[in-house]
Amino acid sequence: MHGLNIITASIGMAWGVAGQGVPKPGADGRYTISAPGIRAQFIAYGATLTNLFVNNKNGKEVDVVLGYDDAAYYPKDTSHPTYNSIPGRYANRIGKAQFTIDGKTYRTQKNDGQNTLHSGTNNWSYRFWNVTDVSTDSITFSIVDKEGESTGMTGTVLGNVTYSVAANATWNIKMMATSADVKTPLMLTQHTYFNLDAYKNPSTSQIWDHTLSMPYSRRYLAIDSGALPTGQILTASAGSINDFASAPKPLGHARSTSAFRGNCGSGCEGYNGFWVFDDNTPKDAVILTLASPWSGIKADLRTNQVGVVLYTCAWSDGSANLKKTQGTGSRKKVEKSSCIAIEAQDYIDGINRPAWGRVDAQITGPGEVYLWSSSWTFSQL
Ligand SMILES: *[C@@H]1O[C@H](CO)[C@@H](O)[C@H](O)[C@H]1NC(C)=O
Ligand SMILES: *[C@@H]1O[C@H](CO)[C@@H](O)[C@H](O)[C@H]1NC(C)=O
Ligand SMILES: *[C@@H]1O[C@H](CO)[C@@H](O)[C@H](O)[C@H]1NC(C)=O
Ligand SMILES: *[C@@H]1O[C@H](CO)[C@@H](O)[C@H](O)[C@H]1NC(C)=O
């Protein structure tokens, strides 16, 4: 009985084609892939990463991303943040919930004040994707987003994401998408929330002791009270609140300044913005390093994107549970400012800002292929 299951599973995994049987997750509802120094788990809902295990400075496995223990709970809890999934077809905000292509204006759903966030309430991160390929170190999820399924979006989009792991604790993410029949906004990201201490640092659950380095990102987008870019591109002077370019710094380096509260919009402490990579950033450069002195874990990000969104969880309100792989006996909840979401992507609302020169990059038409890739490499301090 047991043997038979294994044979069936491995045939499904090897062929991994629709019609040959959809690959099944493990008993815990998750798909697991691994390579030396890294183990990652996923569910089809949102093409979500649920667990990511890497080694700390003592060689002990740590689950460094947020999520839930119960795989079946993700779709039930619609109020959860975009936990480690793929927002789409247009990530982050669309200003005033509208965009124009070839002179025609399309109106999207206002689900974030006057703006659209993550394409509205039928966003890709809240849908069940198809699992189209699984092996021991790689998994592919696919989605068909039909015309009319996302309010105001035009045309049908076919998308997929392949997550793989490799030696030296590397996590690779590759997304491809095409538009079947018309030009449509297409701008994706992978939206993972990290706490490199797995909430086990006895002295703090907050993210402010983690250090951040973004050597190619002196520039960032100014935002309004609703976290929508105003159109201005600012340059952070060395030592100022949004400066992580001049040297690696604790995320809380400006915590004692008055700028810290309100830096990410009305009532928002810390960060929720977009940093731009310099035009002359070397290809394949590490554009961001997040590290925790306590766990001794360091995470290096490489990407083909032109910038990155950082969000330090100001809106986490202590209601969500931590996983059993995280926290301490008394610490069981995701408190405010206790995590950081890092989302490599194109300019927020670039579709409505011709001056930035990103409109063409954010619209995909028939015959074109949208490509997004990033990799995270984990090591020990
Ligand atoms: C995504 O869709 C879900 C389900 O409709 C909704 O609860 C959630 O608020 C949406 N996300 C955003 C960012 O609007
Ligand atoms: C999954 O595949 C089935 C069969 O091809 C298709 O009907 C369905 O729309 C797909 N689901 C998604 C989310 O793309
Ligand atoms: C992903 O989608 C692209 C574009 O539609 C397609 O060419 C590619 O074969 C797909 N890859 C996988 C692994 O499904
Ligand atoms: C892993 O890291 C070691 C030490 O930095 C390096 O020598 C080796 O080439 C790396 N292996 C891979 C597969 O990247």
Side-chain angles (χ1 to χ4, degrees):
M1 183 64 193
H2 198 93
L4 191 64
N5 275 339
I6 289 170
I7 290 164
T8 313
S10 61
I11 289 171
M13 282 157 79
W15 292 358
V17 203
Q20 300 296 339
V22 178
K24 292 279 184 294
D28 60 358
R30 293 152 153 78
Y31 297 88
T32 303
I33 61 176
S34 61
I38 189 162
R39 189 158 63 91
Q41 298 186 298
F42 302 89
I43 55 173
Y45 180 72
T48 298
L49 169 77
T50 59
N51 303 73
L52 182 62
F53 297 95
V54 297
N55 293 332
N56 69 10
K57 62 186 173 191
N58 303 319
K60 196 165 176 291
E61 229 186 23
V62 178
D63 186 359
V64 294
V65 300
L66 275 67
Y68 295 128
D69 281 325
D70 180 5
Y73 185 62
Y74 287 78
K76 288 185 196 145
D77 173 32
T78 52
S79 67
H80 66 81
T82 309
Y83 269 163
N84 322 342
S85 58
I86 312 293
R89 65 176 80 170
Y90 191 93
N92 214 288
R93 289 172 178 77
I94 297 179
K96 309 283 182 288
Q98 64 179 59
F99 61 87
T100 300
I101 297 178
D102 293 341
K104 183 168 188 301
T105 297
Y106 298 85
R107 291 184 202 286
T108 49
Q109 186 183 13
K110 290 184 181 172
N111 65 328
D112 187 66
Q114 291 305 299
N115 309 315
T116 301
L117 180 60
H118 296 323
S119 306
T121 48
N122 198 21
N123 45 77
W124 291 8
S125 48
Y126 288 72
R127 294 195 211 171
F128 288 90
W129 294 47
N130 283 325
V131 180
T132 44
D133 215 347
V134 188
S135 71
T136 53
D137 59 4
S138 166
I139 184 163
T140 299
F141 298 96
S142 303
I143 189 169
V144 182
D145 182 17
K146 295 195 194 76
E147 161 87 47
E149 280 190 301
S150 299
T151 309
M153 293 293 178
T154 167
T156 294
V157 168
L158 309 175
N160 54 49
V161 55
T162 298
Y163 297 116
S164 62
V165 287
N168 283 6
T170 298
W171 175 35
N172 298 306
I173 310 154
K174 285 195 190 339
M175 294 193 259
M176 294 177 88
T178 52
S179 172
D181 26 61
V182 295
K183 288 186 191 170
T184 188
L186 198 41
M187 200 249 272
L188 303 176
T189 190
Q190 209 287 335
H191 198 306
T192 290
Y193 286 80
F194 295 93
N195 180 308
L196 299 179
D197 295 340
Y199 288 83
K200 290 178 187 292
N201 180 349
S203 63
T204 182
S205 68
Q206 297 208 301
I207 201 71
W208 309 129
D209 290 354
H210 282 51
T211 61
L212 184 71
S213 165
M214 296 197 292
Y216 306 102
S217 299
R218 284 177 314 122
R219 292 173 304 149
Y220 65 99
L221 302 182
I223 54 172
D224 68 13
S225 61
L228 181 73
T230 61
Q232 247 189 316
I233 301 180
L234 303 175
T235 298
S237 56
S240 63
I241 180 165
N242 293 318
D243 168 40
F244 294 96
S246 66
K249 303 218 169 76
L251 277 166
H253 76 95
R255 231 181 136 191
S256 62
T257 68
S258 58
F260 198 69
R261 263 146 291 274
N263 188 50
C264 42
S266 184
C268 180
E269 69 169 25
Y271 301 96
N272 187 12
F274 182 85
W275 278 257
V276 177
F277 305 145
D278 293 343
D279 294 337
N280 60 359
T281 303
K283 194 171 164 2
D284 295 330
V286 172
I287 49 82
L288 179 151
T289 299
L290 179 72
S292 165
W294 188 77
S295 63
I297 295 172
K298 179 161 99 82
D300 289 325
L301 174 65
R302 294 173 174 85
T303 182
N304 73 343
Q305 296 297 294
V306 293
V308 65
V309 170
L310 304 178
Y311 164 59
T312 51
C313 301
W315 306 120
S316 290
D317 61 4
S319 59
N321 287 324
L322 290 169
K323 289 180 282 187
K324 61 181 184 296
T325 49
Q326 302 180 322
T328 60
S330 58
R331 188 185 293 149
K332 296 183 159 58
K333 301 284 186 181
V334 180
E335 303 289 349
K336 176 181 168 119
S337 304
S338 65
C339 45
I340 181 169
I342 301 178
E343 309 145 55
Q345 61 163 75
D346 216 285
Y347 286 53
I348 296 173
D349 196 31
I351 191 169
N352 285 315
R353 298 280 174 195
W356 292 342
R358 302 305 303 171
V359 175
D360 284 352
Q362 297 191 4
I363 292 175
T364 298
E368 294 171 342
V369 180
Y370 171 96
L371 290 174
W372 186 106
S373 68
S374 287
S375 75
W376 286 98
T377 299
F378 295 87
S379 56
Q380 290 72 38
L381 290 176

